[in-house]
Amino acid sequence: MTSAITVTGLRKAFGDQVVLDNLDLTVARGTVFALLGANGAGKTTTVKILSTLLRPDAGDARVAGHDVTRDADAVRAAIGVTGQFSAVDNLLTGEENLRLMADLHHLGRREARRKAAELLEQFGLTDAGGKAVSTYSGGMRRRLDLAMTLVGSPQVIFLDEPTTGLDPRSRRDMWQIVRDLVAGGVTIFLTTQYLEEADELADRIAVLAGGRLVAEGTADELKRRIPGGHVRLRFTDQRDHDKAVRVLGHTAPDGDALALRVPSDGSVRSLKALIDQLEAQSLEVGELSVHTPDLDDVFLALTDDKVATA
């Protein structure tokens, strides 16, 4: 799969404070890539470098095939950026904000009107298009902000904590918008403090701590790195339960007289091995469920470990 973003050996420091330390990243086209990290880990600095707002001290970075330092204008033409705070004009209407952005992209008047109407409809803002943005809810403002990013038809969009401060319904509306954009071929580079958001949206996730990449993979791959995963077995018969305790080895009770917890990394291979063992012993299981650590567990384990060893 072709890369939308490639980063090699990226480094950035402000005085004696190293913010990014030899960062390597690859983001495939038409995917969502989530960058996680505590405050000060280097997420926003990474976005600023990739969107040409900051120059790196060392390393190489290419976005949409263009070098962010040597070909910054081409990068800017290929990207959109939605920051942590909505960059909309409260005194203008939603349509006027979009047409202003169209003017900045040098679209003609007729094309600007067409594009504004199209985006208002796409983001569910048609009825509010003629109203001042000062009357919009937080979710409406974020949708308009992202719509303005799309005026230039970007190949890559940087979303820097796009759902901060939104209520759960507005957040889920934004998630669906992101999914629709990716389905249309857009690449999304997402930073977020909401780990559930990364779990829901991201094809791949990277974790930053102290300016260094400490882990990267799919959500499931990262979860399997953290101890605590298990399979819960609930038996319908006491004899099967007692036999399972004897033959399975490392088990533990799980809140029910007939339930057992069996350590597992959650992979298909380990689950199949357990099922084969149950069948070989003729053990009847009434219920089976797989439990893996969530991204909160992953994030805390990886970043705490990094802090402890720094």
Side-chain angles (χ1 to χ4, degrees):
M1 188 177 290
T2 309
S3 296
I5 300 171
T6 55
V7 174
T8 306
L10 203 63
R11 182 177 174 85
K12 183 65 181 179
F14 297 101
D16 295 333
Q17 179 67 36
V18 177
V19 181
L20 293 177
D21 188 6
N22 200 36
L23 180 65
D24 295 334
L25 291 175
T26 301
V27 179
R29 290 185 187 274
T31 65
V32 179
F33 185 93
L35 188 62
L36 307 181
N39 290 332
K43 304 187 303 298
T44 298
T45 298
T46 301
V47 169
K48 286 183 175 180
I49 290 173
L50 295 178
S51 58
T52 75
L53 297 176
L54 272 179
R55 291 177 66 92
D57 297 331
D60 297 305
R62 300 182 69 84
V63 177
H66 307 289
D67 187 278
V68 298
T69 300
R70 294 188 292 272
D71 204 0
D73 286 344
V75 172
R76 294 178 192 129
I79 67 172
V81 180
T82 298
Q84 297 180 29
F85 306 101
S86 297
V88 295
D89 190 320
N90 288 326
L91 299 179
L92 300 179
T93 66
E95 182 181 6
E96 287 168 345
N97 269 279
L98 289 167
R99 291 177 64 176
L100 174 61
M101 188 61 65
D103 287 343
L104 294 174
H105 283 277
H106 306 293
L107 300 184
R109 183 173 298 179
R110 179 178 297 178
E111 176 63 11
R113 285 199 300 268
R114 186 198 67 78
K115 192 72 172 179
E118 175 186 294
L119 288 169
L120 288 171
E121 182 177 0
Q122 180 180 346
F123 285 82
L125 294 170
T126 300
D127 292 342
K131 299 177 182 178
V133 173
S134 59
T135 66
Y136 284 20
S137 67
M140 293 168 67
R141 291 168 62 89
R142 293 306 279 170
R143 296 205 305 274
L144 177 61
D145 195 25
L146 186 51
M148 291 170 66
T149 300
L150 293 180
V151 169
S153 301
Q155 301 173 44
V156 179
I157 298 178
F158 294 95
L159 299 181
D160 193 11
E161 302 188 18
T163 61
T164 297
L166 296 187
D167 63 78
R169 182 179 298 277
S170 296
R171 184 173 298 131
R172 290 184 179 274
D173 288 344
M174 284 294 292
W175 291 355
Q176 188 55 52
I177 289 170
V178 169
R179 293 187 186 103
D180 292 343
L181 290 173
V182 172
V186 175
T187 303
I188 303 291
F189 189 100
L190 171 72
T191 73
T192 180
Q193 295 283 6
Y194 299 111
L195 302 186
E196 179 192 9
E197 186 161 88
D199 206 353
E200 282 281 340
L201 295 176
D203 297 287
R204 291 189 69 78
I205 298 168
V207 181
L208 275 181
R212 297 180 182 177
L213 189 68
V214 295
E216 184 182 351
T218 65
D220 287 341
E221 287 169 348
L222 293 179
K223 291 172 188 176
R224 286 199 293 268
R225 293 180 54 164
I226 306 302
H230 64 276
V231 175
R232 185 179 190 270
L233 304 174
R234 190 182 187 284
F235 299 89
T236 56
D237 185 274
Q238 187 68 51
R239 287 171 297 181
D240 283 332
H241 171 276
D242 295 344
K243 184 178 180 181
V245 172
R246 293 194 302 272
V247 302
L248 295 180
H250 300 289
T251 63
D254 196 79
D256 186 308
L258 294 178
L260 290 177
R261 179 182 297 193
V262 182
S264 170
D265 63 5
S267 66
V268 173
R269 177 179 297 178
S270 66
L271 184 58
K272 182 178 184 302
L274 175 59
I275 292 173
D276 289 345
Q277 193 174 5
L278 293 169
E279 290 181 347
Q281 297 293 332
S282 300
L283 291 168
E284 294 290 334
V285 178
E287 297 176 10
L288 181 152
S289 56
V290 180
H291 300 261
T292 58
D294 60 22
L295 278 185
D296 284 28
D297 299 319
V298 173
F299 180 81
L300 290 172
L302 291 172
T303 55
D304 284 353
D305 180 66
K306 182 64 182 175
V307 170
T309 58

